[in-house]
Amino acid sequence: MTRVIHTGDTHIGYRQYHSPERRDDFLSAFDSVVDDAIENDFDAVIHAGDLFHDRRPGLSDLHGTISVLRKLERAEIPFLAIVGNHESTRGEQWLDLLETLGLATRLGAKPVVVGDTAFYGLDHVPESKRDDLEYEFSPHEQEHSALVAHGLFTPFEFGNWKSEVVLKEASVDFDAMLLGDNHKPGKERVEDTWVTYCGSTERASASERDDRGYNIVTFDGDVALSRRGIETRDFEFIPVELDGDEGIDRVRDVVREYDLDDSVALITIEGDGGDVTVARVEQFVVDEGALVARVTDRREIEAEEDELSVSFADPDDAVRNRVREMGLSETAHDVDEIVRASKVADSNVRTAVEDHVAERISEDIDAFEPAQENAKGEVADTMINEESEQTASGVSGESTEPETPASDSKTASSVAVATDDADAVESTDDESHDGTTATANGGDSADSTETRDATEEPQAPRTAPNRRSPRMRLIPRTPVPGTTKFRWRTICEIRPNSPLEL
């Protein structure tokens, strides 16, 4: 007989709600699982991925994890684990470091035997690469076998990885699939095999209302599954329905009915009633003893939804228009692109945002200024160049340029207009298609120089859906003698992972 704890999605290091106490909670939940394993003398602790919340865990998170795993080592209980999508890196994994320290065993295609059961591992694999998987595993001679995997498997909700395909194509017959990634626990019978999620050990989102815990799996002729809860910080979900002219006083009355001591309080306001200031409610809830307070006024959301006109023929365009109306800074627009529309992997989004913001801070602090409004009261969807005080609209294609005398070359060379120009795009098209990045070199060349009227209106940009448009800067150089035209230098910046498509 083999009796193990099946856990996963511990997300150590998650600073939920920007709270250091919540960050500690995730490590404490994992510590509780380990204490249970030692106290009840389990044969092993099986972790189904996302041990850490981030692929770059902090030093304190690593130190805390090592301290917890040391307890398992002293109790001679093996810790078997795989790599999840949150913690996955391009090279060596943090799990490999823990294995080097003798604190963990990384599961893979070769069996790791505990008692009379062989355990195998399947790290998280992006959906685009799953068709290439062959599910080849080394044979074993044990009475039972189990596959530990990380992903959203069918037949569970949101499943996009077919568990029946894995079981049919695998070179080993498994008695159980022990899964991670879905934070909701559950079990199903597929191809005469138990397929089960253990759920997360702490609430990583407001949708996780059920108690947290882990699975107990017993291999003894057949496979027996049971569940055990662990004690975690209280979450209080507080609905408030407002009628007539009811407002914040009614919200306070409802909140007082709950025991908020050191809890996370999530208040949802619905109905009608008067205006309610979210910040005042949250401060009141904290004063009542809550660790964290978050308020969602559904009335505001519903009102915004009523005001929006969305064409489902082009939902991306509707989203872009809504973001444009928010008056965000240039850098905020860049972050929106990285998070919402770029091809950056989910697990790398945080790093990509941090790197981009750090780069913009070093380059141009003005990029953090809110967008200006044009004469029509609309927010201009363009960039404010550090060399100019003028703003061009990236939506309408309109720009405001002062008349520049031909003799005033010094003034002309200091004016920069942010725009997308069709002719300029064509001049850099060859460079963009080979995956390289075109950058400014400070000089003129035959390919990047053209003559335009100083008063000519720039053309409206042509953009590819779900792609970052090339950022074009047309910088006037020396005026052409005897004319009202200028010689322009084109600078094109094309971000990685966003090829130029017109």
Side-chain angles (χ1 to χ4, degrees), residues 23 49 78 89 107 113 178 217 309 342 376 429-430 473:
R23 184 175 189 165
T89 66
L107 296 172
V113 177
L178 311 181
V217 186
S309 175
S342 76
K376 297 179 182 180
D429 199 61
D430 291 339
R473 295 181 184 175

PDB file of all heavy atoms in Angstrom, residues 23 49 78 89 107 113 178 217 309 342 376 429-430 473:
ATOM      1  N   ARG A  23       1.056  37.453   1.314  1.00  0.00           N
ATOM      2  CA  ARG A  23       2.220  36.731   0.786  1.00  0.00           C
ATOM      3  C   ARG A  23       2.667  35.657   1.774  1.00  0.00           C
ATOM      4  O   ARG A  23       2.964  34.522   1.377  1.00  0.00           O
ATOM      5  CB  ARG A  23       3.360  37.721   0.521  1.00  0.00           C
ATOM      6  CG  ARG A  23       4.594  37.113  -0.125  1.00  0.00           C
ATOM      7  CD  ARG A  23       5.604  38.201  -0.439  1.00  0.00           C
ATOM      8  NE  ARG A  23       6.707  37.714  -1.247  1.00  0.00           N
ATOM      9  CZ  ARG A  23       7.557  38.503  -1.891  1.00  0.00           C
ATOM     10  NH1 ARG A  23       7.409  39.811  -1.827  1.00  0.00           N
ATOM     11  NH2 ARG A  23       8.542  37.984  -2.598  1.00  0.00           N
ATOM     12  N   GLY A  49       2.608  21.108  -9.453  1.00  0.00           N
ATOM     13  CA  GLY A  49       3.021  22.300 -10.184  1.00  0.00           C
ATOM     14  C   GLY A  49       2.562  23.608  -9.591  1.00  0.00           C
ATOM     15  O   GLY A  49       1.624  23.675  -8.798  1.00  0.00           O
ATOM     16  N   PRO A  78       9.689  11.814   1.018  1.00  0.00           N
ATOM     17  CA  PRO A  78      10.101  12.419  -0.259  1.00  0.00           C
ATOM     18  C   PRO A  78       9.091  13.448  -0.762  1.00  0.00           C
ATOM     19  O   PRO A  78       7.879  13.307  -0.556  1.00  0.00           O
ATOM     20  CB  PRO A  78      10.205  11.225  -1.210  1.00  0.00           C
ATOM     21  CG  PRO A  78       9.346  10.168  -0.600  1.00  0.00           C
ATOM     22  CD  PRO A  78       9.405  10.364   0.876  1.00  0.00           C
ATOM     23  N   THR A  89      10.685  28.526 -16.379  1.00  0.00           N
ATOM     24  CA  THR A  89      11.682  29.392 -16.993  1.00  0.00           C
ATOM     25  C   THR A  89      12.188  28.728 -18.270  1.00  0.00           C
ATOM     26  O   THR A  89      11.887  27.573 -18.553  1.00  0.00           O
ATOM     27  CB  THR A  89      12.872  29.633 -16.042  1.00  0.00           C
ATOM     28  OG1 THR A  89      13.565  28.396 -15.827  1.00  0.00           O
ATOM     29  CG2 THR A  89      12.395  30.164 -14.695  1.00  0.00           C
ATOM     30  N   LEU A 107       9.820  14.944 -11.165  1.00  0.00           N
ATOM     31  CA  LEU A 107       9.262  13.816 -11.886  1.00  0.00           C
ATOM     32  C   LEU A 107       9.347  14.040 -13.391  1.00  0.00           C
ATOM     33  O   LEU A 107       9.283  15.170 -13.878  1.00  0.00           O
ATOM     34  CB  LEU A 107       7.802  13.596 -11.486  1.00  0.00           C
ATOM     35  CG  LEU A 107       7.551  13.201 -10.026  1.00  0.00           C
ATOM     36  CD1 LEU A 107       6.058  13.210  -9.726  1.00  0.00           C
ATOM     37  CD2 LEU A 107       8.150  11.834  -9.732  1.00  0.00           C
ATOM     38  N   VAL A 113       9.870   5.494  -7.704  1.00  0.00           N
ATOM     39  CA  VAL A 113       9.091   4.491  -6.970  1.00  0.00           C
ATOM     40  C   VAL A 113       8.963   4.880  -5.505  1.00  0.00           C
ATOM     41  O   VAL A 113       9.963   5.203  -4.831  1.00  0.00           O
ATOM     42  CB  VAL A 113       9.723   3.103  -7.095  1.00  0.00           C
ATOM     43  CG1 VAL A 113       8.951   2.082  -6.259  1.00  0.00           C
ATOM     44  CG2 VAL A 113       9.761   2.665  -8.563  1.00  0.00           C
ATOM     45  N   LEU A 178      -2.831  12.727 -11.355  1.00  0.00           N
ATOM     46  CA  LEU A 178      -2.865  13.693 -10.258  1.00  0.00           C
ATOM     47  C   LEU A 178      -2.500  15.057 -10.836  1.00  0.00           C
ATOM     48  O   LEU A 178      -1.358  15.287 -11.218  1.00  0.00           O
ATOM     49  CB  LEU A 178      -1.891  13.278  -9.155  1.00  0.00           C
ATOM     50  CG  LEU A 178      -1.997  11.817  -8.692  1.00  0.00           C
ATOM     51  CD1 LEU A 178      -0.997  11.541  -7.563  1.00  0.00           C
ATOM     52  CD2 LEU A 178      -3.426  11.494  -8.238  1.00  0.00           C
ATOM     53  N   VAL A 217      -4.382  10.269  -1.541  1.00  0.00           N
ATOM     54  CA  VAL A 217      -4.511   9.206  -2.542  1.00  0.00           C
ATOM     55  C   VAL A 217      -3.893   7.936  -1.978  1.00  0.00           C
ATOM     56  O   VAL A 217      -2.719   7.937  -1.573  1.00  0.00           O
ATOM     57  CB  VAL A 217      -3.819   9.596  -3.860  1.00  0.00           C
ATOM     58  CG1 VAL A 217      -4.101   8.550  -4.939  1.00  0.00           C
ATOM     59  CG2 VAL A 217      -4.265  10.983  -4.322  1.00  0.00           C
ATOM     60  N   SER A 309     -21.059  50.904 -26.855  1.00  0.00           N
ATOM     61  CA  SER A 309     -21.606  50.352 -28.086  1.00  0.00           C
ATOM     62  C   SER A 309     -20.535  49.482 -28.706  1.00  0.00           C
ATOM     63  O   SER A 309     -19.522  49.985 -29.175  1.00  0.00           O
ATOM     64  CB  SER A 309     -22.017  51.479 -29.042  1.00  0.00           C
ATOM     65  OG  SER A 309     -22.447  50.948 -30.269  1.00  0.00           O
ATOM     66  N   SER A 342      -0.207  41.530 -26.841  1.00  0.00           N
ATOM     67  CA  SER A 342       1.076  41.042 -27.353  1.00  0.00           C
ATOM     68  C   SER A 342       1.132  39.529 -27.289  1.00  0.00           C
ATOM     69  O   SER A 342       0.255  38.860 -26.758  1.00  0.00           O
ATOM     70  CB  SER A 342       2.228  41.633 -26.536  1.00  0.00           C
ATOM     71  OG  SER A 342       2.317  40.986 -25.281  1.00  0.00           O
ATOM     72  N   LYS A 376     -11.666  68.553 -29.652  1.00  0.00           N
ATOM     73  CA  LYS A 376     -12.977  67.934 -29.604  1.00  0.00           C
ATOM     74  C   LYS A 376     -13.258  67.273 -28.269  1.00  0.00           C
ATOM     75  O   LYS A 376     -14.282  66.643 -28.077  1.00  0.00           O
ATOM     76  CB  LYS A 376     -13.085  66.882 -30.718  1.00  0.00           C
ATOM     77  CG  LYS A 376     -12.963  67.462 -32.114  1.00  0.00           C
ATOM     78  CD  LYS A 376     -13.058  66.352 -33.150  1.00  0.00           C
ATOM     79  CE  LYS A 376     -12.903  66.895 -34.559  1.00  0.00           C
ATOM     80  NZ  LYS A 376     -12.995  65.811 -35.572  1.00  0.00           N
ATOM     81  N   ASP A 429      10.057  48.312 -44.904  1.00  0.00           N
ATOM     82  CA  ASP A 429       9.349  47.036 -44.945  1.00  0.00           C
ATOM     83  C   ASP A 429      10.287  45.863 -45.036  1.00  0.00           C
ATOM     84  O   ASP A 429      10.099  44.834 -44.393  1.00  0.00           O
ATOM     85  CB  ASP A 429       8.378  47.054 -46.119  1.00  0.00           C
ATOM     86  CG  ASP A 429       7.299  45.997 -45.971  1.00  0.00           C
ATOM     87  OD1 ASP A 429       6.541  46.068 -44.994  1.00  0.00           O
ATOM     88  OD2 ASP A 429       7.243  45.121 -46.820  1.00  0.00           O
ATOM     89  N   ASP A 430      11.355  45.995 -45.839  1.00  0.00           N
ATOM     90  CA  ASP A 430      12.278  44.880 -46.011  1.00  0.00           C
ATOM     91  C   ASP A 430      12.988  44.540 -44.728  1.00  0.00           C
ATOM     92  O   ASP A 430      13.298  43.397 -44.436  1.00  0.00           O
ATOM     93  CB  ASP A 430      13.311  45.224 -47.102  1.00  0.00           C
ATOM     94  CG  ASP A 430      12.664  45.293 -48.487  1.00  0.00           C
ATOM     95  OD1 ASP A 430      11.560  44.706 -48.646  1.00  0.00           O
ATOM     96  OD2 ASP A 430      13.250  45.934 -49.370  1.00  0.00           O
ATOM     97  N   ARG A 473       8.501  58.203 -36.419  1.00  0.00           N
ATOM     98  CA  ARG A 473       8.807  59.597 -36.122  1.00  0.00           C
ATOM     99  C   ARG A 473       9.366  60.238 -37.388  1.00  0.00           C
ATOM    100  O   ARG A 473      10.360  59.753 -37.943  1.00  0.00           O
ATOM    101  CB  ARG A 473       9.843  59.708 -35.003  1.00  0.00           C
ATOM    102  CG  ARG A 473       9.380  59.193 -33.658  1.00  0.00           C
ATOM    103  CD  ARG A 473      10.477  59.375 -32.644  1.00  0.00           C
ATOM    104  NE  ARG A 473      10.099  58.810 -31.363  1.00  0.00           N
ATOM    105  CZ  ARG A 473      10.920  58.747 -30.312  1.00  0.00           C
ATOM    106  NH1 ARG A 473      12.145  59.209 -30.420  1.00  0.00           N
ATOM    107  NH2 ARG A 473      10.523  58.224 -29.175  1.00  0.00           N
TER     108      ARG A 473
END
